[in-house]
Amino acid sequence: MIKIYNTLTKQKEVFKPIEPNKIKMYVCGPTVYNFIHIGNARPYIVFDTVRRFFEAIGYDVTYVQNFTDVDDKIINRAKEENKTTTEVVEYYIQETLTDAKNLNVKPASFHPRVTEEIEPIIDMIKTLVDKGFAYEVEGTVYFNTPKFNDYGKLSKKVLEELEIGSRIEVAEQKQSPLDFVLWKPKKDGEPYWESPWSNGRPGWHIECSAMSKVYLGETIDIHAGGEDLVFPHHENEIAQSEACNGVPFANYWIHNSFLNIDNKKMSKSLGNFKTAREVGEAFGYDVLRVFMLSAHYRSPINFTPEAMEAAKNGLERIKNGLDSLKFALDNCKESSDSQSATQLQEIEKLNNSFFEAMSDDFNTADALSYIFELIKFSNICTKKETSKDVLEKLYSTLTNLTEILGIIYEQPKKEIGGLSDEEILDYISQRTAAKKAKDFAKADEIRNFLLNSGVEIKDTREGVHFKRV
Ligand code: AMP
Ligand code: ZN
């Protein structure tokens, strides 16, 4: 029995899939105009672990995660960098996929992109207009929010209160301040598609409703994302999908809490972010994964170097324990002995506790603690003579459990020869310090030195990135 905290009902519910042994799951993906930061990495890691757990207990999971590849931020980034939006998008999609792979996040079953799904998006808007849930004003199509009676059911917001809190700007043509854009006409130089209303592009919320329907059908099991998406994004998705299809959109809504730094949400706009790339390179991507899973996904987690060090030590303990176990297994005696039965029972007990923790709303923090207990037990066993069946059971259990959390895997290869990542990062911080001190000659000198050593650096808004050329 698996229990999930459902944002829709604000309580833990027993999970019942629509079809036996199958799960249809949609996770809102990033807007691709920059490198993902470790706040964005949280939903990646958390929901990948949810998926791994379901797969481990026999479910066939269809996992969809979109890329928002048309958006004002992308258009602005392309202008700033004198590139086409396609170039910007292609670059950041590849970099995001690289980060996800480095974090041991399994590729989604489908990674749809808005620009490749315009037809179903237009179809959905057409249906909403036909059913009277949307209206057009001079090429812009709005969703008629007050017409959808259930509006507010996810975020528990009351329509009247929302209306009081907002007002229609003079320039807007909306009937209600809560109406939101489904389609908007292009401005000069922007990418656009033809539609019955104008040459333009979709609003943000409609893409997930349309893509979820294309890849998973009208009603899905789980829809997930960070808690900042509850309102308005997910509330609007529900309104669009349910008004269009006339059936429930998603049975379970799960939301991760924030990753904070200095106890404030990490975000682009506050400028207090660290990219997954820089943290992964500095501490290890696997360490970042352990750090994320060391908290329950609905609790805030505070990023500090000390917490990362603790995660690093913990992971080291698991790896060392596994190494000793492997060695003991290769050198042990065949038969079982008088202690085997109780030892096997102890392993089974910890294994069950792990599954109970994960079944209780994906409590990865507790699940991780049972892995540590198993390692402790394993270390006792490997220090004395222990029978093969016990060591085998320990090994298979630990391999299975660490695989569910996705924490033991090969790290991306560091270059052999040339400068190590640590050395490059050191040069980069020396250059940043030189720039700060307005010693531009020295900054250029370091850049040229790196280039001559086969390392190209690039200044971006998210800090300095490097690649080997
Ligand atoms: P965005 O590109 O800002 O739409 O974010 C992509 C995903 O990352 C969404 O699911 C967000 O809710 C999530 N997210 C953004 N910032 C944080 C944060 N500081 N902590 C946890 N999740 C976040
Ligand atoms: Zn979405």
Side-chain angles (χ1 to χ4, degrees), residues 191 300 379 384 393 435 451:
N379 288 342
K384 59 181 188 188
K393 173 90 176 159
K435 275 172 78 178
L451 200 58

Side-chain angles (χ1 to χ4, degrees), residues 97-108:
L97 289 172
T98 301
D99 286 338
K101 182 164 177 269
N102 290 343
L103 291 166
N104 209 20
V105 170
K106 294 173 78 170

